[in-house]
Amino acid sequence: MTHDQWRDATRPKVQGTWNLHEAFPRHRDLDFFIILSSCAGVFGNRGQANYAAAGAYQDGLARYRRQLGLKAVSVDLGIMLDVGVLAEKGAAGDLAAMEQHLGIHEYEFHGLMRAVINGQLRNDSATQIITGLATSAIVAKSGMPRPAYLGHPRFSHLALSNGSASQDGPAETVGARLREAKSKDEVAQIITDALIAKVAEILRTPESEVDPARPLYTYGVDSLVAMEVRSWIVREIQVDVSLFEILLAVPMGQFAIGLAERKSIGNERGDGAAR
């Protein structure tokens, strides 16, 4: 690329974000400071070194502000649906194949922003939140092209599962169990058991340590984990749910009952998913 192409992509993010940082120094600290970066800065999008570098700078600036005792969270967004360049012009090639499984809807983005703001108000937010990265299991299930970053040692934890290790687990059989359920109570119990198993899998803890009487957030489920839980619910239970609902102070058992109610409505309509 030319130097002008490099500068045109990096200047708004680098100089623009630095200007905002200098506008709010220590004596003018804010309740929250959110930088919208890109997951390209994490894995280095081929052919977009300028854009990736600019995103990595924003991640670094968030860490720098936190070291100064100032508020800052860098949110590395992946493929945005509904709004933005791809929504307006349409995705092509690998992006088109990936957006269905990794894309973020506008309402999910709003839920993520609420969670990030609330986390900063409580002073317990992460400095960097990454979205839009696929695991080997997601690639295997969706049939999407395998991202190049999964072959790099830095992302080995995302590449550990090829999608076959959990074929006998609750996440793989919950759909079949729900189709065979005879009552709403049975549906609620199946969802509760599957939700407990999913949370235990994500947190790498025994299922016996996950209490359905406690809300999800009490197990450290932040906005990033909530997005993974939401994707699983939509895929396996076929009920649409927002990030905000997942992060509410509602016991998991009660949350599962709510999903069961919506699942029943969706099945009665015969459309496969309640929305």
Side-chain angles (χ1 to χ4, degrees):
M1 68 183 68
T2 66
H3 180 260
D4 285 343
Q5 289 172 324
W6 172 274
R7 184 185 58 192
D8 289 346
T10 56
R11 186 174 174 81
K13 285 182 173 290
V14 172
Q15 192 61 53
T17 311
W18 180 259
N19 287 344
L20 289 173
H21 161 67
E22 288 200 312
F24 299 100
R26 188 183 301 273
H27 67 279
R28 295 184 61 195
D29 195 15
L30 305 169
D31 291 329
F32 57 89
F33 188 101
I34 302 174
I35 302 171
L36 296 185
S37 185
S38 169
C39 63
V42 176
F43 61 81
N45 207 15
R46 292 179 176 180
Q48 287 187 308
N50 49 0
Y51 186 67
Y57 171 85
Q58 291 183 304
D59 297 336
L61 182 57
R63 290 192 293 273
Y64 176 64
R65 283 183 58 88
R66 292 289 281 270
Q67 289 169 0
L68 295 177
L70 301 173
K71 297 291 180 63
V73 174
S74 180
V75 179
D76 297 327
L77 294 174
I79 300 173
M80 287 297 304
L81 307 174
D82 309 327
V83 294
V85 176
L86 289 181
E88 295 171 1
K89 297 184 178 181
D94 289 352
L95 278 179
M98 295 170 68
E99 67 176 355
Q100 178 183 355
H101 305 282
L102 300 176
I104 301 173
H105 288 282
E106 184 178 7
Y107 72 88
E108 293 176 301
F109 170 78
H110 292 164
L112 176 59
M113 289 301 100
R114 283 193 295 269
V116 172
I117 290 171
N118 289 334
Q120 291 188 72
L121 294 176
R122 297 192 305 265
N123 291 315
D124 66 354
S125 63
T127 305
Q128 182 179 359
I129 296 176
I130 304 171
T131 73
L133 296 186
T135 64
S136 287
I138 292 176
V139 171
K141 292 177 183 177
S142 66
M144 72 172 70
R146 184 177 177 84
Y149 59 79
L150 286 179
H152 195 284
R154 287 185 303 159
F155 300 95
S156 58
H157 58 295
L158 298 180
L160 286 177
S161 172
N162 62 10
S164 60
S166 60
Q167 290 297 312
D168 297 325
E172 295 299 321
T173 61
V174 62
R177 293 171 61 198
L178 287 171
R179 286 190 293 272
E180 296 174 357
K182 305 299 183 182
S183 67
K184 191 178 300 180
D185 289 342
E186 188 177 353
V187 169
Q189 189 59 55
I190 291 171
I191 294 176
T192 300
D193 293 343
L195 185 60
I196 289 173
K198 184 61 180 177
V199 172
E201 173 193 340
I202 293 173
L203 301 181
R204 298 185 179 183
T205 188
E207 292 181 26
S208 59
E209 298 296 321
V210 181
D211 184 358
R214 293 174 57 184
L216 280 165
Y217 80 87
T218 62
Y219 288 97
V221 174
D222 57 14
S223 54
L224 185 59
V225 175
M227 291 184 70
E228 181 176 350
V229 173
R230 181 198 174 272
S231 297
W232 173 79
I233 290 172
V234 172
R235 183 179 66 251
E236 300 293 340
I237 303 178
Q238 295 189 327
V239 173
D240 205 350
V241 62
S242 69
L243 292 178
F244 179 72
E245 292 176 274
I246 294 173
L247 295 170
L248 283 175
V250 175
M252 274 185 282
Q254 184 178 335
F255 177 63
I257 291 174
L259 293 178
E261 294 281 352
R262 291 154 71 175
K263 177 69 177 177
S264 298
I265 294 172
N267 288 342
E268 290 168 5
R269 286 205 317 259
D271 60 7
R275 297 191 179 274

